[in-house]
Amino acid sequence: MTARTVHRTLAALAAAATLAATAVTSAAAASPGGGRGPHGATQAALEAQVEAGVPGVLGEARDRDGKWYGSAGVADRDTHRKRLPGDRFRVGSISKVFSSVVLLQLEAEGKLSLDDTLERRLPGTVRGNGNDGSRVTLRQVLNHTSGIFNYTDDPAFQKTLTTDFFKHRFETRKPAELLRTALAHRPDFRPGEGWNYSNTNYVLAGMVIEKVTGHSYASEIERRVLKPLGLRATTLPGTSARMPAPHGRGYSRLSDDPDAKIYDTTELNPSWAWAAGEIISTTGDLNRFYGALLGGRLLPERQQRELLTTVPTGGDADGSGYGLGISRATLSCGAPVWLHSGGIHGSTSLAVSSPDGRHTAAFNLNGDWAGDLAALVEAEYCGKAQPSAAARGAIDRLTSLR
């Protein structure tokens, strides 16, 4: 989930599901095409997710041969309606790079610098319990080296996302409230001296966008990214709990109990995720966005270099790392990819691209307790879904950043 700690709670189930998914996918994708054309391995990997317990999976790839769609399972467990290419879903933390792009465009326009501190851009906002905004730069915010505590790791807040979800699902949370939750904790480390994925960083990014532009961060994303690229199926819902049509349902166990009831969590107020993970989109729009982003059509050359300059996240000997809202990994076949995963109640997503933006892929699982995103990437870009444990290290780690 965007609430990474919710996924930690479900980690035992996800690990078991990964083993099941890769085993099934390996059998189905014994040859590079899986016996079903150039995307046969990818289709087999989709089906493996359903075998592992995900209600339904949707995928789309775009490459030199055109578009490919695949699906498995159902969009709705009651009606058994199949998943459709145009289905909308919550993308969770894939939202982060949209916010990053806006800040980088503002830098290109001379309205801010990535070397600016939070204190300069948000005076007096980040203080207390060892937190000092005068020592944290915007670059450190975007690449998660700020050290600022992840508000979704707060035990009381985490409870509102899991066991108490139904008491709080329609509540509105203001960015300042999310930040207060984070600043009640000491930093994880001194700025620039470590790495920790923190949703608080992107709440701060949204706040900076609003301070600098005088407009809502959502309107800036719409004006600068969605409209120019024609991403008509992508929305920022704000406090609205409704999903725009067409869409399937989203399902969650809200627990690490493998026998727990499966709940329909489709409707929720995503303000608790805000600039860190509120966006709703489709596989088609995500592919168009990643193609434009990696193809260099959204940022000037200098800001594009900043976007793709990575920092280590731990165990990055293979050259993987985290940039500014997007990650780099090298797959088992040697293929480099840029990607980000995302999750929010009942929805787990992944967007991927080759370095030149010419081969993109996007996937969505309508459950958050099972699945193997790494297998989907390996299947699409390497034609296989069960590399060695060593080869899976980086991709497993980076696809867990939700």
Side-chain angles (χ1 to χ4, degrees):
M1 290 185 179
T2 301
R4 183 173 50 118
T5 49
V6 178
H7 276 271
R8 283 178 177 170
T9 304
L10 304 174
L13 280 178
T18 295
L19 292 174
T22 52
V24 174
T25 305
S26 178
S31 65
R36 308 183 220 181
H39 299 280
T42 309
Q43 179 61 39
L46 294 176
E47 293 166 7
Q49 310 302 310
V50 176
E51 292 288 339
V54 178
V57 191
L58 183 64
E60 178 189 317
R62 299 186 183 189
D63 57 22
R64 62 184 181 182
D65 297 320
K67 298 179 186 178
W68 171 86
Y69 299 102
S71 67
V74 299
D76 188 315
R77 296 175 72 238
D78 293 328
T79 67
H80 302 290
R81 195 264 274 180
K82 300 298 184 182
R83 302 211 65 181
L84 303 175
D87 277 353
R88 289 179 164 109
F89 49 84
R90 301 184 190 278
V91 308
S93 283
I94 297 172
S95 303
K96 288 181 170 64
V97 74
F98 287 83
S99 299
S100 180
V101 165
V102 172
L103 277 177
L104 287 164
Q105 289 183 351
L106 290 171
E107 183 187 55
E109 294 163 9
K111 296 176 181 176
L112 56 79
S113 166
L114 292 185
D115 294 319
D116 289 345
T117 64
L118 286 174
E119 182 62 22
R120 176 177 180 182
R121 292 300 170 186
L122 299 172
T125 301
V126 180
R127 292 180 182 174
N129 287 321
N131 294 284
D132 184 353
S134 69
R135 300 179 59 197
V136 180
T137 67
L138 299 185
R139 182 182 289 102
Q140 291 167 338
V141 165
L142 294 179
N143 66 18
H144 296 296
T145 61
S146 71
I148 298 173
F149 183 82
N150 180 13
Y151 68 91
T152 57
D153 279 345
D154 177 83
F157 195 92
Q158 185 183 15
K159 190 176 180 183
T160 70
L161 301 177
T162 52
T163 56
D164 289 348
F165 170 75
F166 290 104
K167 296 179 183 178
H168 301 279
R169 70 188 299 181
F170 299 123
E171 287 182 2
T172 294
R173 277 73 173 265
K174 299 291 187 181
E177 175 188 349
L178 305 177
L179 184 58
R180 281 197 301 272
T181 299
L183 298 182
H185 298 264
R186 293 191 61 80
D188 296 317
F189 47 81
R190 293 178 180 176
E193 295 185 6
W195 188 89
N196 188 45
Y197 190 77
S198 175
N199 291 302
T200 311
N201 287 320
Y202 278 78
V203 169
L204 287 162
M207 294 172 74
V208 171
I209 290 169
E210 296 194 342
K211 184 75 171 181
V212 170
T213 66
H215 306 133
S216 72
Y217 100 95
S219 67
E220 289 295 312
I221 287 178
E222 290 165 356
R223 181 175 71 86
R224 294 168 175 272
V225 181
L226 305 190
K227 289 182 179 179
L229 295 183
L231 305 184
R232 297 180 180 87
T234 301
T235 58
L236 292 95
T239 61
S240 173
R242 298 183 62 185
M243 286 286 295
H247 67 85
R249 311 303 296 175
Y251 300 100
S252 179
R253 292 187 187 274
L254 301 174
S255 168
D256 59 357
D257 180 356
D259 298 318
K261 179 181 177 181
I262 295 174
Y263 297 96
D264 186 322
T265 55
T266 308
E267 282 78 38
L268 60 90
N269 182 331
S271 60
W272 67 266
W274 201 52
E278 73 163 288
I279 289 178
I280 293 170
S281 192
T282 63
T283 54
D285 271 14
L286 289 179
N287 277 323
R288 184 178 298 180
F289 172 58
Y290 262 52
L293 181 65
L294 274 300
R297 289 175 293 176
L298 285 173
L299 297 170
E301 184 177 349
R302 188 168 77 85
Q303 280 69 37
Q304 187 78 356
R305 286 198 303 270
E306 292 281 8
L307 173 80
L308 303 179
T309 298
T310 63
V311 293
T313 64
D316 298 305
D318 59 357
S320 63
Y322 198 93
L324 304 185
I326 194 167
S327 307
R328 183 186 188 279
T330 302
L331 303 180
S332 64
C333 58
V337 293
W338 290 91
L339 73 156
H340 211 294
S341 54
I344 195 165
H345 300 84
S347 181
T348 304
S349 306
L350 181 68
V352 195
S353 179
S354 59
D356 60 6
R358 295 180 181 178
H359 182 182
T360 60
F363 304 96
N364 176 258
L365 288 61
N366 62 357
D368 59 27
W369 67 89
D372 185 359
L373 297 182
L376 295 170
V377 183
E378 287 281 344
E380 177 59 29
Y381 289 86
C382 296
K384 58 184 179 180
Q386 196 180 30
S388 67
R392 284 181 60 109
I395 192 67
D396 276 337
R397 183 173 64 258
L398 293 173
T399 54
S400 70
L401 301 178
R402 307 174 195 175

